[in-house]
Amino acid sequence: MKNFYILIAVLFIPWSFSLAKYDEFEDGDDIMEYDDNDFAEFEDVNEDAVTESPQRVITTEDDEEEATVELEGQDENQEDFDDADAQEGDTESEPYDDEEFEGYEEKPDASHSKNKDPITIVNVPAHLQNSWESYYMEILMVTGLLAYIMNYIIGKNKNNRLAHAWFNTHRELLESNFALVGDDGTNKEATSTGKLNQENEHIYNLWCSGRVCCEGMLIQLKFLKRQDLLNVLARMMRPASDQVQIKVTMNDEDMDTYVFAVGTRKALVRLQKEMQDLSEFCSDKPKSGAKYGLPDSLAILSEMGEVTEGMMDAKMIHFLTHYADKIESVQFSDQFSGPKLMQEEGQLTKLPETKKTLLFTFNVPGSGNTSPKDMESLLPLMSMVIYSIDKAKKFRLNREGKQKADKNRARVEENFLKLTHVQRQEAAQSRREEKKRAEKERIMNEEDPEKQRRLEEAALRREQKKLEKKQMKMKQIKVKAM
Amino acid sequence: RYKPPATETNPALEDPTPDYMNLLGMVFSMCGLMLKLKWCAWIAVYCSFISFANSRSSEDTKQMMSSFMLSISAVVMSYLQNPQPMSPPW
């Protein structure tokens, strides 16, 4: 009997141990992990919305194996889980199946646990927010674009108004002096359109022709770029003014050979550097015009003193003094070829073409803030232009002056030829070789053998003749040297 | 007497701005498309507008339109790929 009781006692102890283990197992971390793995799938689903991992406290009652889980902050999970599928009093202590953890209820203890775990508010990405405020950079950009478009329209209209105001004031004078006013080159016959030719939003052209001594006159109204906002902003830093450029092309017989310029000192310095003819013929620096009664702001560049004397007659001086603030530059030149071409030395084989021209550049008063009324003040300047045309026709150099002028021109040409001598030689050489090659090809291409032979003989004869000529020349030179 | 030439004889004298802006606009819009940079695409739109404002009347309108369309498409594509608003660099 005693042994039996001892045996029972001995058996009882491990059983109790096993029970205890069960408790441990229940309360220990293992369960948590087990549960976490179990609920892992639910955790992934709710990752975005919830920042905190759900805390679950599992309490088990000793005898009842009812697992209850407390979920915190998982409002959405409530709906997912079924209600108490409680297994009451099941004795399935061993296997911790999923079944055991199916019955989830949110306990009223949830509020209790909330105090322990703070809820963090998730930042919803900006583009999912339903507010325009987050797009303020884009709104700024679009506003900038709209401002640019507004400025374009306003600037374009202003330039247009200025141009037409100019034209209206000058129309009479032009039509009285020129037979053809306004031509854009598209018609076959020269008919007067009587309109400005708009090249750009800020450049307007007008071609007048049909006067006695000039081929034609091209007037360019070069306004400021009011249609470009960037330009408008740049102009706030650096004031500039609209310009009227007039280029009169003279007939060859109507102008004598001289180069002469008057203008503001700054403009003349710039022109002397840029313009081909001024740089070659007027070597001196711009001289002050005070000698002739011109205001200090104006300076003179001239090929020779005689030209200056001839040009500066009373009326001209009157014009220049009265409108000195509007004059930027005035240039009379018979060797006008435009600004210096920036070419490499090797490419120049010919002197650029020259035309006899009178160039006038006027600044519109107002320095940018011009109004159409300012255009009227430019009318006298146009009269000056007409007067200059007549004057250029009448003015003739005397004998000395002519000689000097011719010498100058010859000098310039010689310099140029020297510079390009090597290039011209090479060009001639290559041309000769080309000719020879062409001949040979012709001979080869001839199908008739007879003709071929004849051509070959002709080529041989020609070459022999050339050699003979050369020898003769050499002999002559030798004789002369002796 | 004569008809006018009335045309620019020296292309070198002419303002190169519209051509530069055209090129810049295309470069920026390609950058914006390839590198998905929104600000590049916006600058391309601006360049295209500036080029249009400075263009000569003889300039090809097809060229203008194509550069404009390219820049607009760069902006749209950048926003489709990444609808988040632009963040300023500061």
Side-chain angles (χ1 to χ4, degrees), chain A residues 126-127 134-138 141-142 144-145 148-149 152 180 183 185 187-188 198-201 205 207 209-212 215 220 225 227-228 230 339, chain B residues 1-6 8 10 13-15 17 21 38-39 42 45-46 49-50 52-58 79 83-90:
Chain A
H127 65 278
S134 50
Y135 284 93
Y136 69 95
M137 283 295 283
E138 280 75 12
M141 288 292 197
V142 174
L145 270 179
Y148 193 88
I149 294 174
Y152 174 78
L180 168 72
D183 191 356
N187 302 334
K188 282 207 194 111
Q198 183 176 3
E199 186 184 309
N200 216 329
E201 300 298 344
N205 290 339
W207 171 263
S209 182
R211 201 167 193 274
V212 175
E215 230 179 76
Q220 269 194 330
K225 282 190 184 174
Q227 79 273 12
D228 183 18
L230 287 181
Chain B
R1 314 249 176 92
Y2 281 114
K3 257 184 327 148
E8 276 295 338
N10 264 348
L13 281 182
E14 283 179 1
D15 186 21
T17 303
M21 281 294 144
K38 292 198 183 76
W39 54 269
W42 280 109
V45 176
Y46 271 99
F49 267 95
I50 294 173
F52 169 71
N54 284 312
S55 67
R56 301 171 269 282
S57 63
S58 57
Y79 277 95
Q84 286 201 346
M86 258 197 313
S87 56
W90 53 86

Side-chain angles (χ1 to χ4, degrees), chain B residues 2-76:
Chain B
Y2 281 114
K3 257 184 327 148
T7 47
E8 276 295 338
T9 46
N10 264 348
L13 281 182
E14 283 179 1
D15 186 21
T17 303
D19 302 322
Y20 280 154
M21 281 294 144
N22 224 353
L23 181 68
L24 263 184
M26 287 209 228
V27 166
F28 272 119
S29 61
M30 292 319 284
C31 275
L33 270 174
M34 306 286 178
L35 307 174
K36 299 184 191 160
L37 298 169
K38 292 198 183 76
W39 54 269
C40 269
W42 280 109
I43 293 177
V45 176
Y46 271 99
C47 282
S48 159
F49 267 95
I50 294 173
S51 167
F52 169 71
N54 284 312
S55 67
R56 301 171 269 282
S57 63
S58 57
E59 197 99 0
D60 203 6
T61 47
K62 278 183 284 193
Q63 177 88 327
M64 293 290 139
M65 288 306 293
S66 80
S67 104
F68 184 63
M69 289 293 145
L70 184 65
S71 56
I72 295 280
S73 73
V75 170
V76 169

Side-chain angles (χ1 to χ4, degrees), chain A residues 31-46:
Chain A
I31 287 187
M32 292 289 280
E33 286 175 17
Y34 186 80
D35 288 335
D36 280 346
N37 290 337
D38 228 8
F39 302 133
E41 57 190 68
F42 299 109
E43 274 191 11
D44 287 335
V45 165
N46 300 312

Side-chain angles (χ1 to χ4, degrees), chain A residues 294-418:
Chain A
L294 292 175
D296 275 334
S297 58
L298 294 177
I300 300 178
L301 254 187
S302 153
E303 194 181 353
M304 45 194 140
E306 191 201 330
V307 175
T308 325
E309 295 284 333
M311 275 290 135
M312 289 287 128
D313 63 349
K315 203 153 181 210
M316 196 62 131
I317 294 178
H318 166 82
F319 270 124
L320 289 172
T321 37
H322 265 85
Y323 307 109
D325 57 334
K326 301 195 187 69
I327 294 176
E328 168 104 359
S329 75
V330 173
Q331 183 183 353
F332 302 163
S333 165
D334 75 312
Q335 298 278 317
F336 181 74
S337 56
K340 278 193 200 164
L341 298 166
M342 308 301 277
Q343 272 180 345
E344 296 169 7
E345 285 288 335
Q347 288 180 9
L348 283 171
T349 49
K350 253 191 337 167
L351 268 177
E353 263 189 44
T354 60
K355 280 202 90 76
K356 302 197 173 185
T357 38
L358 313 177
L359 261 181
F360 302 84
T361 309
F362 300 131
N363 291 330
V364 177
S367 161
N369 293 328
T370 46
S371 71
K373 272 186 265 160
D374 293 325
M375 293 304 172
E376 290 167 3
S377 55
L378 291 173
L379 199 57
L381 290 170
M382 190 55 78
S383 331
M384 177 176 125
V385 170
I386 310 269
Y387 173 75
S388 314
I389 299 177
D390 293 327
K391 182 149 180 46
K393 176 171 163 57
K394 277 184 270 170
F395 180 72
R396 291 278 179 264
L397 295 164
N398 60 13
R399 205 159 44 102
E400 278 178 24
K402 197 88 175 66
Q403 279 179 352
K404 259 203 259 176
D406 289 337
K407 243 198 313 176
N408 277 339
R409 276 148 192 71
R411 174 180 49 89
V412 167
E413 212 179 309
E414 224 184 283
N415 287 341
F416 178 77
L417 286 176
K418 270 194 222 159

Side-chain angles (χ1 to χ4, degrees), chain A residues 109-216:
Chain A
D109 282 347
S111 57
H112 172 65
S113 7
K114 262 183 197 167
N115 293 333
K116 291 187 219 163
D117 306 308
I119 296 178
T120 58
I121 299 172
V122 183
N123 281 330
V124 179
H127 65 278
L128 296 177
Q129 291 174 6
N130 274 335
S131 76
W132 290 110
E133 290 166 358
S134 50
Y135 284 93
Y136 69 95
M137 283 295 283
E138 280 75 12
I139 293 176
L140 262 174
M141 288 292 197
V142 174
T143 316
L145 270 179
L146 283 175
Y148 193 88
I149 294 174
M150 290 295 297
N151 174 264
Y152 174 78
I153 295 174
I154 294 174
K156 188 169 89 137
N157 285 336
K158 174 137 195 215
N159 277 347
N160 213 357
R161 267 183 296 135
L162 284 174
H164 282 95
W166 180 93
F167 189 52
N168 287 333
T169 47
H170 287 73
R171 183 195 284 264
E172 268 186 51
L173 182 64
L174 288 173
E175 282 183 350
S176 61
N177 275 298
F178 290 91
L180 168 72
V181 174
D183 191 356
D184 50 8
T186 51
N187 302 334
K188 282 207 194 111
E189 292 169 9
T191 46
S192 180
T193 60
K195 271 190 297 182
L196 288 168
N197 184 21
Q198 183 176 3
E199 186 184 309
N200 216 329
E201 300 298 344
H202 63 282
I203 297 183
Y204 291 82
N205 290 339
L206 184 70
W207 171 263
C208 306
S209 182
R211 201 167 193 274
V212 175
C213 36
C214 61
E215 230 179 76

